[in-house]
Amino acid sequence: MKERMNINKAEPGIYRAMAASDDQVGSFELDAKLKELIRIRVSQINGCGYCIDYHTKDALKAGETMQRLFAVSAWWETPFFTEEERAVLKLAEQVTNISGGGVTDDVYNNALTLLGEKKLAQAIFVMVTINSWNRIAISVHMVADLD
């Protein structure tokens, strides 16, 4: 795959806006590993190889295990994730696939019960931000570096 455009060079304001969103996400009290699980799962759904590569590396740096990273694409079929993580991953899937019927009351209310309103709001913003990054990266064919 060849990069179509370096969007940061074409319009640096886009990266500044997205960086501001990332800075806000960085200030959230959500666990760093949970933020990365959200980013990875959303990126898997959207098919963003660049973001999957980037965020799995960040997850490892945050202390995530390889076993859980290998299983996140089928999290519901494993015992590796906490009740809170499972609720957030389910919500992330519905937010990412929003055109498929929105977010159900059951999924929303379960996440609200487990996270509380503030952390739920933060989790939703992580989902929205990574969905935006995925759409940018996929549109311009951002290419991950080979290690």
Side-chain angles (χ1 to χ4, degrees):
M1 184 169 78
K2 184 175 186 238
E3 185 175 74
R4 290 176 174 160
M5 162 196 341
N6 181 320
I7 200 165
N8 189 35
K9 286 182 183 175
E11 177 47 71
I14 294 167
Y15 259 57
R16 283 193 302 272
M18 293 303 298
S21 293
D22 282 339
D23 289 346
Q24 186 63 45
V25 167
S27 75
F28 292 161
E29 59 193 63
L30 286 176
D31 179 72
K33 290 189 288 186
L34 181 59
K35 288 186 248 186
E36 295 307 330
L37 288 174
I38 293 167
R39 290 169 168 150
I40 293 163
R41 185 64 189 127
V42 168
S43 298
Q44 289 173 335
I45 293 165
N46 288 326
C48 185
Y50 180 90
C51 293
I52 292 168
D53 179 69
Y54 189 95
H55 291 291
T56 53
K57 291 174 183 173
D58 281 354
L60 289 169
K61 289 177 193 170
E64 189 54 82
T65 68
M66 303 259 307
Q67 182 180 39
R68 285 169 34 107
L69 289 178
F70 293 148
V72 74
S73 64
W75 58 267
W76 61 93
E77 286 288 333
T78 74
F80 309 148
F81 300 93
T82 68
E83 184 180 9
E84 179 180 283
E85 290 166 338
R86 297 169 80 75
V88 169
L89 289 168
K90 183 66 176 171
L91 178 65
E93 291 175 353
Q94 289 192 355
V95 168
T96 301
N97 294 312
I98 200 92
S99 67
V103 175
T104 66
D105 288 340
D106 286 346
V107 168
Y108 179 88
N109 290 330
N110 186 43
L112 178 60
T113 298
L114 293 168
L115 296 173
E117 198 167 71
K118 182 177 182 180
K119 284 186 177 179
L120 175 57
Q122 293 174 353
I124 290 169
F125 191 71
V126 176
M127 295 165 200
V128 169
T129 301
I130 191 60
N131 267 288
S132 295
W133 273 121
N134 288 169
R135 281 149 177 78
I136 290 168
I138 292 167
S139 296
V140 300
H141 282 176
M142 291 173 68
V143 180
D145 293 327
L146 189 59
D147 291 339

